[in-house]
Amino acid sequence: MMTNDPIRRSQELMRAELPKKFYAEATVVAEGEGFAVKLDGRPVKTPSRKPLILPTEAAAEYVRAEWQAQEKVIDPAKMPMTRLANTIIDGVAVNAEAVFEEIVSYAGNDMLFYRAESPEELVARQSERWGPVLEWMAEEYGARFVLVEGVMFAEQPAESLEAFRRQLEHHRAPFELGALHVMTTLTGSALVTLALARGRLTLDEAWALGNLEEDWTIELWGHDEEAARRRARRFEDMQAAHNLFVALKR
């Protein structure tokens, strides 16, 4: 059954038997106010048959490189930047307000607000590593949030959420919004994502904060191969979203 979620819907449209590679060269060509990716001079289309056009040449170059790297078949699983661009063009661009509000919703129930009750070492680690992001939000934007132990929902100050919303308003363009949405869902934190977008955190630092509890569990119980593979795939998507966000500024 097809989902109504615009992002998931565009991803589902890409699920098909892998087509054979039919081109020799992928190029980037200026087109209108953006940059199109072309295969032997023919335009690439999204799953919804829209032109694959990105806002900057740097962003389009990431997509071009993925198409050029394909060998005998075209495998979307090996093309995280292309998947993201398709998702943004087919899903985010036509539902930008819903995507914007979903990120704001994450901020209202952010991972950083919910702290473990025990053990002491995990409690201390959360405070030490998550605390600086909250301090930065308070100092930079006047946004102060309520912290709780456990998972019971805590209502956050309206003025703090409004402060976050004002910062997110700077990223209304669909490609920026789409990249931020992916990073938010992968880290579980809209605040970590904003800190990354503002250059307060590096990609690796943001990823580590988003996976703090998982890393704690691994330290206690050891490494699981399948879980590691899933995490590696998630990081590929995280890296693609971050690369896209940075490339949009070039």
Side-chain angles (χ1 to χ4, degrees):
M1 181 176 178
M2 186 67 75
T3 177
N4 290 325
D5 185 316
I7 294 177
R8 294 195 180 189
R9 182 175 185 278
S10 68
Q11 291 170 340
E12 287 177 357
L13 289 170
M14 290 188 287
R15 293 175 187 165
E17 185 177 346
L18 297 182
K20 293 181 180 179
K21 184 177 178 181
F22 57 87
Y23 55 92
E25 185 179 17
T27 57
V28 171
V29 178
E31 192 161 310
E33 296 183 357
F35 295 84
V37 178
K38 297 195 174 185
L39 309 175
D40 292 341
R42 290 174 288 186
V44 179
K45 298 293 184 69
T46 70
S48 289
R49 309 305 300 166
K50 297 175 182 176
L52 185 56
I53 298 176
L54 292 96
T56 68
E57 187 173 8
E61 176 56 31
Y62 275 114
V63 175
R64 183 210 67 79
E66 289 183 345
W67 284 90
Q68 193 63 51
Q70 299 304 294
E71 297 178 351
K72 294 182 179 180
V73 297
I74 301 170
D75 185 358
K78 298 177 180 178
M79 305 170 77
M81 188 68 82
T82 301
R83 295 198 311 270
L84 177 54
N86 285 340
T87 294
I88 291 170
I89 293 168
D90 287 348
V92 176
V94 294
N95 292 278
E97 187 63 30
V99 175
F100 181 94
E101 290 300 331
E102 186 169 348
I103 298 175
V104 174
S105 178
Y106 262 90
N109 197 31
D110 205 271
M111 171 188 69
L112 302 190
F113 307 152
Y114 298 93
R115 304 301 177 84
E117 298 174 89
S118 63
E120 274 186 33
E121 293 85 352
L122 177 57
V123 172
R125 186 177 299 189
Q126 289 176 334
S127 179
E128 176 189 355
R129 300 186 185 177
W130 288 353
V133 176
L134 295 172
E135 290 168 8
W136 168 73
M137 287 292 301
E139 293 169 4
E140 192 74 15
Y141 307 118
R144 292 173 173 80
F145 297 96
V146 177
L147 306 186
V148 295
E149 291 184 352
V151 296
M152 292 297 292
F153 175 74
E155 192 77 34
Q156 296 298 325
E159 59 272 20
S160 295
L161 294 179
E162 182 58 31
F164 176 86
R165 179 185 289 272
R166 285 196 299 270
Q167 294 309 309
L168 191 60
E169 287 285 353
H170 295 294
H171 307 291
R172 280 280 190 177
F175 274 86
E176 286 191 42
L177 197 60
L180 292 177
H181 183 272
V182 168
M183 291 189 284
T184 297
T185 58
L186 287 172
T187 60
S189 173
L191 304 189
V192 166
T193 296
L194 181 63
L196 176 58
R198 292 291 191 273
R200 181 73 180 189
L201 297 172
T202 66
L203 173 62
D204 287 340
E205 287 169 342
W207 186 246
L209 293 182
N211 289 276
L212 185 148
E213 292 182 344
E214 182 177 323
D215 288 340
W216 173 262
T217 301
I218 291 171
E219 289 176 21
L220 285 181
W221 303 105
H223 184 78
D224 178 85
E225 291 293 339
E226 180 55 34
R229 283 192 290 269
R230 289 195 300 268
R231 178 162 167 167
R233 289 192 293 270
R234 294 199 309 273
F235 183 72
E236 285 182 356
D237 291 336
M238 178 76 179
Q239 189 171 42
H242 183 250
N243 285 344
L244 175 59
F245 186 84
V246 172
L248 295 173
K249 306 299 183 181
R250 295 178 188 170

